[in-house]
């Protein structure tokens, strides 16, 4: 029998609570450490479910230095990536993806959904990432979404999406706002949903990632979900155009999203950087209207998304950095809103990936212990977890940095 006792920790709600993980699952236990248990002293730190990254690109990550995106736009990112994609090797994709997964784990992430571009005629990234998914499975849940960066207008691209489904991806995407017309965008969504139904995958759409306020593929996606009875299997990322929808459109849209049980993913790092750069376009905050969505009860997770890629030159693989950006862009700064930001990078993402995402009795014994006492300090300081625990065992440990001052030089 394995026993891990976590003492002196606090929950996100500020309650002091000991935790016991017995044989890999959380178990109710009061009082003191049971005999023979390994002990972690949280020293007043936050004990949280692991962070979850519901939207990241491993195939494009760490390629930023290959060619600079000088305009900073999504369009230049796409054209640079389509050139770099020709030169990928499976070894290179695997090595970069492993580096990012290690960085995610060091930052307390134990599950991620990677979006894999299946537009590459040579199909280099997909087999590399499918193999990596199997290899890391004992310590890290990697899901893959097949998405066609170049759209679904050609029969070759449709065949590639079907091949990705047959090869075993977890979810399928379209990019309807990049198609040549509204009808072509709707057709691409219909094909994506058709294929997901045939192969039994989830749907995870790159939706309305544009400055165009008339882009409303979110409504088409909700309609397809309801018509096919696919509630609970559909996630939409980005939805930037929604920021500009008027109250009448939102009043019609929100009930549709609820009926479709759609989950949303906001990507505040890349989208505050790339959205709103189109000359003459409405330049808002660059993200979906998160406050309105939360008030309406629409489940919304926060993603890190790109990491040093042709699309976005920054990123640290820290979910807390993404949540910190969202705190500003969505103006979520009350104590409860900051706790909600922490749930948006943990529990909400876990729901998308079909995980428990809690510390309740019988939940898998996975958690992180942050060296801060509450949500505000977690967001402000963005520390790595002191420990990352998987199945009741310490998987990653970080010794906090220590700064010392000379007695004479500082003056305070
Ligand atoms: Zn993305």
């Amino acid at each position: 029998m394995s026993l891990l006792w976590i003492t002196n920790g606090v929950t996100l709600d500020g309650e002091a609570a000991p935790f016991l993980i017995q044989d890999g699952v959380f178990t109710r236990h009061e009082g003191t450490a049971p005999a023979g248990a390994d002990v972690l002293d949280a020293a007043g730190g936050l004990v949280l479910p692991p962070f979850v990254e519901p939207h990241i690109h491993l195939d494009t990550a760490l390629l930023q230095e290959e060619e600079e995106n000088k305009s900073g736009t999504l369009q230049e990112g796409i054209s640079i990536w389509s050139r770099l994609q020709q030169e990928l090797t499976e070894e290179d994709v695997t090595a970069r993806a492993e580096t990012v997964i290690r960085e995610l784990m060091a930052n307390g992430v134990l599950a991620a959904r990677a979006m894999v571009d299946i537009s590459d005629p040579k199909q280099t990234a997909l087999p590399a990432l499918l193999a990596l998914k199997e290899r890391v499975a004992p310590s890290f849940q990697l899901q893959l979404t097949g998405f066609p960066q170049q759209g679904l207008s050609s029969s070759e691209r449709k065949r590639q999406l079907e091949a990705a489904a047959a090869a075993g991806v977890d979810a399928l995407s379209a990019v309807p706002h990049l198609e040549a017309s509204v009808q072509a965008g709707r057709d691409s969504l219909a094909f994506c949903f058709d294929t997901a139904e045939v192969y039994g995958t989830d749907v995870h759409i790159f939706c309305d990632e544009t400055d165009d306020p008339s882009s409303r593929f979110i409504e088409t996606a909700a309609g397809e979900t309801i018509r096919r009875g696919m509630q609970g299997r559909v996630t939409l990322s980005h939805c930037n155009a929604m920021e500009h929808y008027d109250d009448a459109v939102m009043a019609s849209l929100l009930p549709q999203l609820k009926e479709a049980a759609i989950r949303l993913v906001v990507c505040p790092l890349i989208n505050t950087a790339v959205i709103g750069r189109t000359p003459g376009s409405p330049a808002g905050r660059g993200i979906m209207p998160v406050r309105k969505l939360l008030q309406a009860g629409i489940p919304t997770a926060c993603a890190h998304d790109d990491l040093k890629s042709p699309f976005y030159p920054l990123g640290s693989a820290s979910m807390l950095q993404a949540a910190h950006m969202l705190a500003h862009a969505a103006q979520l700064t009350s104590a409860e809103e900051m706790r909600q930001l922490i749930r948006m990078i943990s529990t909400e993402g876990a729901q998308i990936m079909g995980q428990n995402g809690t510390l309740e009795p019988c939940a898998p014994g996975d958690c992180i212990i942050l060296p801060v006492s509450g949500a505000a300090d977690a967001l402000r300081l963005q520390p790595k977890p002191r420990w990352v625990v998987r199945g009741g065992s310490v998987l990653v440990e970080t010794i906090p940095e220590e700064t010392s001052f000379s007695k004479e030089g500082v003056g305070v």
Side-chain angles (χ1 to χ4, degrees):
M1 183 170 69
S2 74
L3 289 168
L4 181 68
W5 175 253
I6 302 169
T7 185
N8 292 326
V10 291
T11 66
L12 187 59
D13 295 323
E15 288 173 24
F19 292 94
L20 179 66
I21 302 173
Q22 181 175 335
D23 293 332
V25 295
F26 280 100
T27 306
R28 197 175 295 285
H29 188 86
E30 307 289 336
T32 54
D38 293 327
V39 177
L40 293 180
D41 183 352
L46 267 180
V47 183
L48 299 173
F51 292 144
V52 175
E53 162 58 323
H55 178 138
I56 193 166
H57 299 260
L58 298 175
D59 49 0
T60 65
L62 308 180
L63 286 176
Q64 183 261 337
E65 281 155 15
E66 297 291 316
E67 187 175 339
E68 186 187 7
N69 180 340
K70 291 193 176 67
S71 70
T73 59
L74 208 50
Q75 287 68 26
E76 186 173 344
I78 292 171
S79 66
I80 292 172
W81 165 238
S82 63
R83 283 195 294 278
L84 295 179
Q85 193 175 45
Q86 308 301 318
E87 294 154 27
L88 297 181
T89 66
E90 288 198 31
E91 294 73 25
D92 158 58
V93 172
T94 303
R96 286 185 288 107
E98 283 178 341
T99 299
V100 175
I101 288 174
R102 273 195 299 275
E103 289 183 17
L104 288 169
M105 291 170 80
N107 281 293
V109 179
L110 288 183
R113 180 174 273 186
M115 324 313 265
V116 190
D117 181 10
I118 51 83
S119 306
D120 173 16
K122 293 190 291 180
Q123 288 300 341
T124 308
L126 183 60
L129 293 176
L130 282 166
L132 185 61
K133 172 183 165 170
E134 293 303 315
R135 193 148 53 79
V136 300
S139 52
F140 190 89
Q141 188 194 0
L142 179 61
Q143 289 188 356
L144 303 178
T145 296
F147 100 98
Q149 181 70 79
Q150 305 293 333
L152 282 173
S153 54
S154 73
S155 54
E156 172 63 5
R157 216 74 77 207
K158 289 177 177 149
R159 192 196 60 71
Q160 287 170 323
L161 193 74
E162 284 183 318
V169 297
D170 303 275
L172 297 176
S173 183
V175 277
H177 52 281
L178 293 182
E179 301 288 355
S181 68
V182 172
Q183 189 55 50
R186 289 181 184 147
D187 291 347
S188 75
L189 282 173
F191 181 80
C192 179
F193 275 81
D194 281 346
T195 312
E197 275 193 308
V198 169
Y199 288 92
T201 72
D202 282 1
V203 169
H204 191 147
I205 303 289
F206 286 55
C207 197
D208 301 318
E209 190 181 14
T210 169
D211 293 317
D212 178 1
S214 70
S215 185
R216 282 164 55 177
F217 291 107
I218 188 170
E219 291 176 323
T220 312
E224 292 283 0
T225 305
I226 295 164
R227 184 165 69 80
R228 298 163 189 261
M230 289 178 71
Q231 282 91 339
R233 290 173 53 192
V234 178
T235 302
L236 308 180
S237 282
H238 300 301
C239 306
N240 305 87
M242 197 200 302
E243 181 179 21
H244 305 293
Y245 298 168
D246 65 26
D247 288 349
V249 173
M250 289 301 285
S252 154
L253 174 62
L254 291 171
Q256 293 178 61
L257 293 178
K258 278 208 149 172
E259 186 182 349
I262 276 176
R263 294 184 177 279
L264 300 177
V265 175
V266 59
C267 304
L269 292 175
I270 182 171
N271 278 157
T272 53
V274 301
I275 294 293
R277 286 183 185 244
T278 312
S281 72
R285 288 180 174 263
I287 56 163
M288 62 177 76
V290 172
R291 177 185 292 280
K292 275 184 201 168
L293 291 162
L294 294 177
Q295 285 169 348
I298 307 297
T300 305
C302 171
H304 183 290
D305 204 346
D306 292 77
L307 178 65
K308 281 192 79 175
S309 79
F311 299 85
Y312 177 70
L314 302 171
S316 62
S318 165
M319 299 306 296
L320 288 167
Q321 187 179 71
H324 180 263
M325 178 64 79
L326 186 58
H328 293 76
Q331 298 178 319
L332 299 173
T333 50
S334 74
E336 173 49 26
E337 286 165 344
M338 288 191 279
R339 286 192 289 272
Q340 180 62 27
L341 284 164
I342 299 295
R343 290 190 282 271
M344 290 173 76
I345 56 173
S346 54
T347 317
E348 293 293 345
Q351 295 288 319
I352 288 169
M353 294 191 59
Q355 293 191 326
N356 182 292
T358 75
L359 307 176
E360 302 287 326
C362 300
D366 304 341
C367 65
I368 60 175
I369 299 155
L370 291 176
V372 289
S373 60
D377 275 353
L379 294 164
R380 187 172 70 85
L381 301 171
Q382 300 161 36
K384 285 192 169 79
R386 179 75 178 85
W387 292 284
V388 179
V389 174
R390 165 88 169 174
S393 300
V394 172
L395 191 66
V396 186
E397 178 174 5
T398 295
I399 308 294
E401 61 185 6
E402 205 175 292
T403 306
S404 59
F405 297 90
S406 78
K407 280 195 181 112
E408 298 78 28
V410 179
V412 289

